[in-house]
Amino acid sequence: MTDSVDLDALARRENEQTEWKENVADVEKVVATLAAFANDLQNLGGGYVVCGVAEDKDEHGFPVLRRTGLTAARLKEVEGRVLSLCRAKVSPPITPLVEELPTNNPQRRILVFVQPATGSAHTFRRDDDGTRHYVRISRSTIEARNGVLKDLLVRKGALEPWDRRPCNGATEADLDLIALRDALQRMGVFSTDLGVEPYLSPDVSISAFVPPLLVAEPLSGVLRPRNFAVLLFGRETQRFIPGAVTFFSIYPGVDRSDPHAERHELAGNLLEQARRLQELFDVQSYTAFDKTDPAVPNAIKYPTRALYEAMGNALAHRDYEVADPTRLTVFADRVAVASPGPLPSGVDIEVLRAGTAPPRWRNQALAWFFARMQLAQAEGQGVPTILRLMREQGNPPPVFEADQVRVVCTLPAHPRHAALRDLRSAEQALVLGDLDRARARVEGVLGNDPLNFRAIQLFAEVHLARRDSAAVAAWVRTHAGQFDALPSQVLLLLGEAVGTEQARGEDRPLAIDLLVRAARGRLEERQLRRIVVAMRRAHDDEGAYALIDRQMLEHPEWANNPLLLQLRGDALIGLAKRCREMAKKPGIAQLTRERAWRDFHSYMEQAERDLRAALALSVDQHLTDQINVNIAFLAKLRRANQPPQRRAARGRRG
């Protein structure tokens, strides 16, 4: 027996914890509900099944109870049948507590089953429906399926959380050790004496809060990286986890109806995706300036940290068993961050919107790494942080929506974003070839906000189209002290605009400095190619060669990239031509001349190796034709530029 149950108090509670049965027509439904209360998916502590009471409403619409009760014979029959089924057909068996309560009729009593939550995931075998897991969702008892069943099994410890499970098919060789080393350094746990080797053991973890990166298979002993390790440090993450991709789309209007849009499809590991997303968000998080508002002249369109938090939450807490991508969509007036999968069990959408939801993680190990690497707030503070930052910056509050398919966080733009219209107008003018109007619109925005990243990009694009590198160089010199705040793609565009073929000689060092800044950190292969081409155009073959060489060391898989091999070969030809110019320069010392000829032939040999390797790897006919032209030019250059000693020796042999 329990302490006396207060039915009126139960009636005032949310009905997630109470099931009312008047006549108990189906005893098996009672047992299924008791099993659901024992499973306690929503962490409410269990629940009550009250037999002999009907829930009704009074004339005002408020709930009232009709205490009809059960006869003595029916009460004993129901009690015996329920307890028997709880022992025989619930696995593991449950033993609910039982209490009898009086009614106004001394011949009838109310039967109450009290089922506390347990630490197990219980199944119930119904006569007509087989064995099932049951859970309580709102006021209903339902069968746990798909994601709900997985949440239940994980909660009860019957199934390891997805991010901690071994990644089938992956091995230690599928981890990018450079990415792992960089992460360890950022977290302050890397030792130059030990390297990364200790963390590749199945017995060593980075923290007591997360398991080791690798786990040994029970029979074979083969080391498999866990899913969170492949997400964070995988060489080919999407090969094993297809859904681990992100689409970043930009629409110039307020919906997807615009005929022109920009989309970035981001692959690689999550750390690479997060870095790239931060750069893309930096372009969107600009400051609008209003001279007419002396109190608050500057208004940022979106708080950068709020964007980072929304992105970090989406990547860390989404359901990676769903193959859908994470989608971040930028409109003229808002940013929408859509994360595949429903809210974690036990998280109520209204509580989430209020910012008072308790910490709940779908991928706890992944969330721990994101917090340690400052990609997301820890202890469930991400949503409160977004709410606070948006409020402090004067933005409208964020909007949270959730269903069984996805969770969406929408961040409205600051009301003061009229500059967007000017930039859209500049983009349209650029497309239509009206370069004067495009320049006027862009320069108007930059006059108010010199660090508007999108305006700087358009400024560079407009002047590239105008073939006016000198104007870009002058603007860069004026604002050079602010360039540490610019993301790499903006610096790259400025470098390309300054270092054109028509650039003045005094502007080329400026272009090279911009490109060197753009090349800091880890680069995507396409970015690397653009920077190298721009460096060569600015006559910095030495810097281009050194950059490719360094990036190939950091990315060994790029050593077989025909495009990069061709670019390195071209840079080496450029270095060889410089050596030839030095060797033929009048008035230099003989030793210097001989050294220049030796370097000339050394660079030529290296260039030929790279070009022939690129030719063997090329599957694109246009690239193959271009490489053949370069090889032919190389042979011609070699024949025409033999050092004097070699030509004299060849003449004597003749």
PDB file of all heavy atoms in Angstrom, residues 43 50 83 121 128 134 138 178 241 254 276 280 282 314 334 356 392 426 465 475 481 493 496 565 608 613-614:
ATOM      1  N   ASN A  43      10.866  11.346 -18.241  1.00  0.00           N
ATOM      2  CA  ASN A  43      11.534  11.634 -16.971  1.00  0.00           C
ATOM      3  C   ASN A  43      10.598  12.326 -15.972  1.00  0.00           C
ATOM      4  O   ASN A  43      10.967  13.294 -15.309  1.00  0.00           O
ATOM      5  CB  ASN A  43      12.779  12.501 -17.209  1.00  0.00           C
ATOM      6  CG  ASN A  43      13.721  12.484 -16.019  1.00  0.00           C
ATOM      7  OD1 ASN A  43      13.787  11.502 -15.290  1.00  0.00           O
ATOM      8  ND2 ASN A  43      14.447  13.567 -15.827  1.00  0.00           N
ATOM      9  N   VAL A  50      -5.814   4.883 -12.714  1.00  0.00           N
ATOM     10  CA  VAL A  50      -6.919   4.942 -11.760  1.00  0.00           C
ATOM     11  C   VAL A  50      -8.127   4.262 -12.402  1.00  0.00           C
ATOM     12  O   VAL A  50      -8.639   4.720 -13.434  1.00  0.00           O
ATOM     13  CB  VAL A  50      -7.252   6.394 -11.381  1.00  0.00           C
ATOM     14  CG1 VAL A  50      -8.352   6.425 -10.323  1.00  0.00           C
ATOM     15  CG2 VAL A  50      -6.004   7.108 -10.864  1.00  0.00           C
ATOM     16  N   LEU A  83      -1.832  -7.597 -12.164  1.00  0.00           N
ATOM     17  CA  LEU A  83      -0.578  -8.001 -11.526  1.00  0.00           C
ATOM     18  C   LEU A  83      -0.022  -9.263 -12.167  1.00  0.00           C
ATOM     19  O   LEU A  83       1.203  -9.426 -12.304  1.00  0.00           O
ATOM     20  CB  LEU A  83      -0.797  -8.198 -10.031  1.00  0.00           C
ATOM     21  CG  LEU A  83      -1.154  -6.921  -9.237  1.00  0.00           C
ATOM     22  CD1 LEU A  83      -1.361  -7.261  -7.765  1.00  0.00           C
ATOM     23  CD2 LEU A  83      -0.079  -5.866  -9.391  1.00  0.00           C
ATOM     24  N   ALA A 121      14.365  -0.796 -19.711  1.00  0.00           N
ATOM     25  CA  ALA A 121      13.445  -0.576 -20.830  1.00  0.00           C
ATOM     26  C   ALA A 121      12.536  -1.798 -20.902  1.00  0.00           C
ATOM     27  O   ALA A 121      12.971  -2.893 -21.283  1.00  0.00           O
ATOM     28  CB  ALA A 121      14.205  -0.386 -22.131  1.00  0.00           C
ATOM     29  N   ASP A 128      -2.535 -10.148 -28.924  1.00  0.00           N
ATOM     30  CA  ASP A 128      -2.849  -9.960 -30.340  1.00  0.00           C
ATOM     31  C   ASP A 128      -1.847  -9.084 -31.077  1.00  0.00           C
ATOM     32  O   ASP A 128      -2.045  -8.743 -32.230  1.00  0.00           O
ATOM     33  CB  ASP A 128      -4.243  -9.333 -30.488  1.00  0.00           C
ATOM     34  CG  ASP A 128      -4.338  -7.980 -29.777  1.00  0.00           C
ATOM     35  OD1 ASP A 128      -3.397  -7.638 -29.022  1.00  0.00           O
ATOM     36  OD2 ASP A 128      -5.333  -7.274 -29.986  1.00  0.00           O
ATOM     37  N   TYR A 134       6.446   0.317 -24.879  1.00  0.00           N
ATOM     38  CA  TYR A 134       5.424   1.352 -24.818  1.00  0.00           C
ATOM     39  C   TYR A 134       5.957   2.541 -24.029  1.00  0.00           C
ATOM     40  O   TYR A 134       6.723   2.380 -23.064  1.00  0.00           O
ATOM     41  CB  TYR A 134       4.143   0.823 -24.174  1.00  0.00           C
ATOM     42  CG  TYR A 134       3.411  -0.168 -25.044  1.00  0.00           C
ATOM     43  CD1 TYR A 134       3.653  -1.537 -24.907  1.00  0.00           C
ATOM     44  CD2 TYR A 134       2.514   0.257 -26.007  1.00  0.00           C
ATOM     45  CE1 TYR A 134       2.999  -2.455 -25.714  1.00  0.00           C
ATOM     46  CE2 TYR A 134       1.852  -0.652 -26.819  1.00  0.00           C
ATOM     47  CZ  TYR A 134       2.102  -2.003 -26.674  1.00  0.00           C
ATOM     48  OH  TYR A 134       1.459  -2.901 -27.484  1.00  0.00           O
ATOM     49  N   SER A 138       2.544  12.770 -24.000  1.00  0.00           N
ATOM     50  CA  SER A 138       1.408  13.615 -23.631  1.00  0.00           C
ATOM     51  C   SER A 138       0.385  12.764 -22.860  1.00  0.00           C
ATOM     52  O   SER A 138       0.734  12.135 -21.860  1.00  0.00           O
ATOM     53  CB  SER A 138       0.805  14.271 -24.871  1.00  0.00           C
ATOM     54  OG  SER A 138      -0.195  15.198 -24.493  1.00  0.00           O
ATOM     55  N   ILE A 178      46.280  15.295 -38.360  1.00  0.00           N
ATOM     56  CA  ILE A 178      46.586  16.723 -38.281  1.00  0.00           C
ATOM     57  C   ILE A 178      45.403  17.472 -37.664  1.00  0.00           C
ATOM     58  O   ILE A 178      45.575  18.352 -36.817  1.00  0.00           O
ATOM     59  CB  ILE A 178      46.915  17.284 -39.679  1.00  0.00           C
ATOM     60  CG1 ILE A 178      48.212  16.660 -40.201  1.00  0.00           C
ATOM     61  CG2 ILE A 178      47.043  18.801 -39.641  1.00  0.00           C
ATOM     62  CD1 ILE A 178      48.571  17.084 -41.605  1.00  0.00           C
ATOM     63  N   ILE A 241      29.336   8.665 -42.830  1.00  0.00           N
ATOM     64  CA  ILE A 241      28.140   9.319 -42.269  1.00  0.00           C
ATOM     65  C   ILE A 241      27.605  10.270 -43.335  1.00  0.00           C
ATOM     66  O   ILE A 241      27.945  11.467 -43.350  1.00  0.00           O
ATOM     67  CB  ILE A 241      28.485  10.072 -40.964  1.00  0.00           C
ATOM     68  CG1 ILE A 241      29.216   9.132 -39.986  1.00  0.00           C
ATOM     69  CG2 ILE A 241      27.218  10.625 -40.311  1.00  0.00           C
ATOM     70  CD1 ILE A 241      29.753   9.816 -38.753  1.00  0.00           C
ATOM     71  N   VAL A 254      13.241  37.769 -49.441  1.00  0.00           N
ATOM     72  CA  VAL A 254      12.720  37.267 -48.168  1.00  0.00           C
ATOM     73  C   VAL A 254      12.182  35.851 -48.286  1.00  0.00           C
ATOM     74  O   VAL A 254      11.651  35.303 -47.324  1.00  0.00           O
ATOM     75  CB  VAL A 254      11.622  38.201 -47.620  1.00  0.00           C
ATOM     76  CG1 VAL A 254      12.194  39.575 -47.298  1.00  0.00           C
ATOM     77  CG2 VAL A 254      10.466  38.316 -48.606  1.00  0.00           C
ATOM     78  N   ARG A 276      34.397  27.031 -41.707  1.00  0.00           N
ATOM     79  CA  ARG A 276      33.909  27.652 -42.943  1.00  0.00           C
ATOM     80  C   ARG A 276      32.583  28.379 -42.706  1.00  0.00           C
ATOM     81  O   ARG A 276      32.363  29.483 -43.229  1.00  0.00           O
ATOM     82  CB  ARG A 276      33.735  26.560 -44.000  1.00  0.00           C
ATOM     83  CG  ARG A 276      33.223  27.075 -45.329  1.00  0.00           C
ATOM     84  CD  ARG A 276      34.294  27.811 -46.082  1.00  0.00           C
ATOM     85  NE  ARG A 276      33.810  28.197 -47.396  1.00  0.00           N
ATOM     86  CZ  ARG A 276      33.770  29.432 -47.843  1.00  0.00           C
ATOM     87  NH1 ARG A 276      34.196  30.423 -47.078  1.00  0.00           N
ATOM     88  NH2 ARG A 276      33.333  29.712 -49.055  1.00  0.00           N
ATOM     89  N   LEU A 280      31.496  32.292 -43.361  1.00  0.00           N
ATOM     90  CA  LEU A 280      30.319  32.693 -44.130  1.00  0.00           C
ATOM     91  C   LEU A 280      29.381  33.550 -43.292  1.00  0.00           C
ATOM     92  O   LEU A 280      28.789  34.516 -43.798  1.00  0.00           O
ATOM     93  CB  LEU A 280      29.590  31.447 -44.636  1.00  0.00           C
ATOM     94  CG  LEU A 280      30.319  30.644 -45.726  1.00  0.00           C
ATOM     95  CD1 LEU A 280      29.650  29.288 -45.932  1.00  0.00           C
ATOM     96  CD2 LEU A 280      30.360  31.417 -47.036  1.00  0.00           C
ATOM     97  N   ASP A 282      30.375  35.466 -40.841  1.00  0.00           N
ATOM     98  CA  ASP A 282      31.032  36.759 -40.645  1.00  0.00           C
ATOM     99  C   ASP A 282      30.653  37.747 -41.741  1.00  0.00           C
ATOM    100  O   ASP A 282      30.531  38.959 -41.498  1.00  0.00           O
ATOM    101  CB  ASP A 282      32.555  36.579 -40.619  1.00  0.00           C
ATOM    102  CG  ASP A 282      33.039  35.945 -39.324  1.00  0.00           C
ATOM    103  OD1 ASP A 282      32.263  35.916 -38.351  1.00  0.00           O
ATOM    104  OD2 ASP A 282      34.188  35.452 -39.295  1.00  0.00           O
ATOM    105  N   ALA A 314      23.122  23.364 -33.998  1.00  0.00           N
ATOM    106  CA  ALA A 314      22.619  22.552 -35.109  1.00  0.00           C
ATOM    107  C   ALA A 314      23.578  21.408 -35.423  1.00  0.00           C
ATOM    108  O   ALA A 314      23.150  20.272 -35.671  1.00  0.00           O
ATOM    109  CB  ALA A 314      22.402  23.427 -36.344  1.00  0.00           C
ATOM    110  N   ARG A 334      16.426  37.620 -42.366  1.00  0.00           N
ATOM    111  CA  ARG A 334      16.557  36.615 -41.298  1.00  0.00           C
ATOM    112  C   ARG A 334      17.555  35.530 -41.719  1.00  0.00           C
ATOM    113  O   ARG A 334      17.898  35.393 -42.903  1.00  0.00           O
ATOM    114  CB  ARG A 334      15.200  35.962 -41.006  1.00  0.00           C
ATOM    115  CG  ARG A 334      14.670  35.112 -42.148  1.00  0.00           C
ATOM    116  CD  ARG A 334      13.215  34.780 -41.958  1.00  0.00           C
ATOM    117  NE  ARG A 334      12.703  33.837 -42.965  1.00  0.00           N
ATOM    118  CZ  ARG A 334      12.371  34.169 -44.211  1.00  0.00           C
ATOM    119  NH1 ARG A 334      12.513  35.416 -44.617  1.00  0.00           N
ATOM    120  NH2 ARG A 334      11.911  33.255 -45.049  1.00  0.00           N
ATOM    121  N   THR A 356      14.565  28.204 -20.785  1.00  0.00           N
ATOM    122  CA  THR A 356      14.685  27.591 -19.456  1.00  0.00           C
ATOM    123  C   THR A 356      14.755  26.073 -19.524  1.00  0.00           C
ATOM    124  O   THR A 356      14.609  25.406 -18.504  1.00  0.00           O
ATOM    125  CB  THR A 356      13.494  28.002 -18.575  1.00  0.00           C
ATOM    126  OG1 THR A 356      12.270  27.625 -19.230  1.00  0.00           O
ATOM    127  CG2 THR A 356      13.488  29.505 -18.336  1.00  0.00           C
ATOM    128  N   GLU A 392      20.070  42.214 -26.446  1.00  0.00           N
ATOM    129  CA  GLU A 392      21.021  43.296 -26.180  1.00  0.00           C
ATOM    130  C   GLU A 392      21.352  44.099 -27.431  1.00  0.00           C
ATOM    131  O   GLU A 392      21.626  45.304 -27.344  1.00  0.00           O
ATOM    132  CB  GLU A 392      22.295  42.708 -25.570  1.00  0.00           C
ATOM    133  CG  GLU A 392      22.117  42.182 -24.155  1.00  0.00           C
ATOM    134  CD  GLU A 392      23.369  41.512 -23.616  1.00  0.00           C
ATOM    135  OE1 GLU A 392      24.335  41.322 -24.402  1.00  0.00           O
ATOM    136  OE2 GLU A 392      23.378  41.175 -22.423  1.00  0.00           O
ATOM    137  N   ALA A 426      23.459  46.954 -56.112  1.00  0.00           N
ATOM    138  CA  ALA A 426      24.810  46.878 -56.695  1.00  0.00           C
ATOM    139  C   ALA A 426      25.030  45.534 -57.380  1.00  0.00           C
ATOM    140  O   ALA A 426      25.637  45.465 -58.462  1.00  0.00           O
ATOM    141  CB  ALA A 426      25.851  47.099 -55.601  1.00  0.00           C
ATOM    142  N   ALA A 465      35.897  44.043 -62.691  1.00  0.00           N
ATOM    143  CA  ALA A 465      35.210  44.204 -63.972  1.00  0.00           C
ATOM    144  C   ALA A 465      35.617  45.500 -64.665  1.00  0.00           C
ATOM    145  O   ALA A 465      35.688  45.560 -65.900  1.00  0.00           O
ATOM    146  CB  ALA A 465      33.695  44.172 -63.752  1.00  0.00           C
ATOM    147  N   TRP A 475      42.169  52.072 -51.894  1.00  0.00           N
ATOM    148  CA  TRP A 475      41.228  51.817 -50.803  1.00  0.00           C
ATOM    149  C   TRP A 475      41.848  50.901 -49.755  1.00  0.00           C
ATOM    150  O   TRP A 475      41.674  51.103 -48.542  1.00  0.00           O
ATOM    151  CB  TRP A 475      39.951  51.189 -51.371  1.00  0.00           C
ATOM    152  CG  TRP A 475      38.859  51.039 -50.357  1.00  0.00           C
ATOM    153  CD1 TRP A 475      37.910  51.945 -50.036  1.00  0.00           C
ATOM    154  CD2 TRP A 475      38.633  49.907 -49.513  1.00  0.00           C
ATOM    155  NE1 TRP A 475      37.093  51.459 -49.039  1.00  0.00           N
ATOM    156  CE2 TRP A 475      37.509  50.207 -48.703  1.00  0.00           C
ATOM    157  CE3 TRP A 475      39.256  48.677 -49.357  1.00  0.00           C
ATOM    158  CZ2 TRP A 475      37.010  49.319 -47.762  1.00  0.00           C
ATOM    159  CZ3 TRP A 475      38.757  47.792 -48.414  1.00  0.00           C
ATOM    160  CH2 TRP A 475      37.649  48.108 -47.635  1.00  0.00           C
ATOM    161  N   GLY A 481      44.701  48.975 -41.644  1.00  0.00           N
ATOM    162  CA  GLY A 481      44.748  48.647 -40.222  1.00  0.00           C
ATOM    163  C   GLY A 481      43.574  47.819 -39.740  1.00  0.00           C
ATOM    164  O   GLY A 481      43.599  47.296 -38.623  1.00  0.00           O
ATOM    165  N   LEU A 493      39.588  38.016 -52.527  1.00  0.00           N
ATOM    166  CA  LEU A 493      39.018  38.847 -53.588  1.00  0.00           C
ATOM    167  C   LEU A 493      39.771  40.170 -53.732  1.00  0.00           C
ATOM    168  O   LEU A 493      40.029  40.637 -54.845  1.00  0.00           O
ATOM    169  CB  LEU A 493      37.547  39.111 -53.297  1.00  0.00           C
ATOM    170  CG  LEU A 493      36.529  38.223 -54.014  1.00  0.00           C
ATOM    171  CD1 LEU A 493      35.132  38.509 -53.506  1.00  0.00           C
ATOM    172  CD2 LEU A 493      36.590  38.451 -55.517  1.00  0.00           C
ATOM    173  N   GLU A 496      43.044  39.487 -55.466  1.00  0.00           N
ATOM    174  CA  GLU A 496      42.844  39.284 -56.902  1.00  0.00           C
ATOM    175  C   GLU A 496      42.592  40.612 -57.616  1.00  0.00           C
ATOM    176  O   GLU A 496      43.057  40.822 -58.744  1.00  0.00           O
ATOM    177  CB  GLU A 496      41.663  38.339 -57.128  1.00  0.00           C
ATOM    178  CG  GLU A 496      41.941  36.898 -56.728  1.00  0.00           C
ATOM    179  CD  GLU A 496      40.707  36.015 -56.829  1.00  0.00           C
ATOM    180  OE1 GLU A 496      39.594  36.518 -56.643  1.00  0.00           O
ATOM    181  OE2 GLU A 496      40.866  34.804 -57.081  1.00  0.00           O
ATOM    182  N   LEU A 565      49.320  19.912 -59.098  1.00  0.00           N
ATOM    183  CA  LEU A 565      50.632  19.572 -59.677  1.00  0.00           C
ATOM    184  C   LEU A 565      50.941  20.469 -60.865  1.00  0.00           C
ATOM    185  O   LEU A 565      52.080  20.918 -61.052  1.00  0.00           O
ATOM    186  CB  LEU A 565      50.650  18.098 -60.092  1.00  0.00           C
ATOM    187  CG  LEU A 565      50.683  17.082 -58.947  1.00  0.00           C
ATOM    188  CD1 LEU A 565      50.435  15.674 -59.474  1.00  0.00           C
ATOM    189  CD2 LEU A 565      52.029  17.139 -58.226  1.00  0.00           C
ATOM    190  N   GLU A 608      59.211  19.633 -64.749  1.00  0.00           N
ATOM    191  CA  GLU A 608      58.866  18.554 -65.680  1.00  0.00           C
ATOM    192  C   GLU A 608      58.296  17.354 -64.928  1.00  0.00           C
ATOM    193  O   GLU A 608      57.338  16.718 -65.380  1.00  0.00           O
ATOM    194  CB  GLU A 608      60.084  18.140 -66.500  1.00  0.00           C
ATOM    195  CG  GLU A 608      59.750  17.068 -67.535  1.00  0.00           C
ATOM    196  CD  GLU A 608      60.864  16.843 -68.541  1.00  0.00           C
ATOM    197  OE1 GLU A 608      61.953  17.421 -68.369  1.00  0.00           O
ATOM    198  OE2 GLU A 608      60.628  16.088 -69.490  1.00  0.00           O
ATOM    199  N   ALA A 613      53.628  14.159 -64.004  1.00  0.00           N
ATOM    200  CA  ALA A 613      52.774  13.488 -63.024  1.00  0.00           C
ATOM    201  C   ALA A 613      51.324  13.964 -63.168  1.00  0.00           C
ATOM    202  O   ALA A 613      50.379  13.174 -63.114  1.00  0.00           O
ATOM    203  CB  ALA A 613      53.277  13.755 -61.607  1.00  0.00           C
ATOM    204  N   ALA A 614      51.139  15.275 -63.382  1.00  0.00           N
ATOM    205  CA  ALA A 614      49.789  15.806 -63.591  1.00  0.00           C
ATOM    206  C   ALA A 614      49.169  15.231 -64.856  1.00  0.00           C
ATOM    207  O   ALA A 614      47.977  14.907 -64.900  1.00  0.00           O
ATOM    208  CB  ALA A 614      49.836  17.334 -63.673  1.00  0.00           C
TER     209      ALA A 614
END
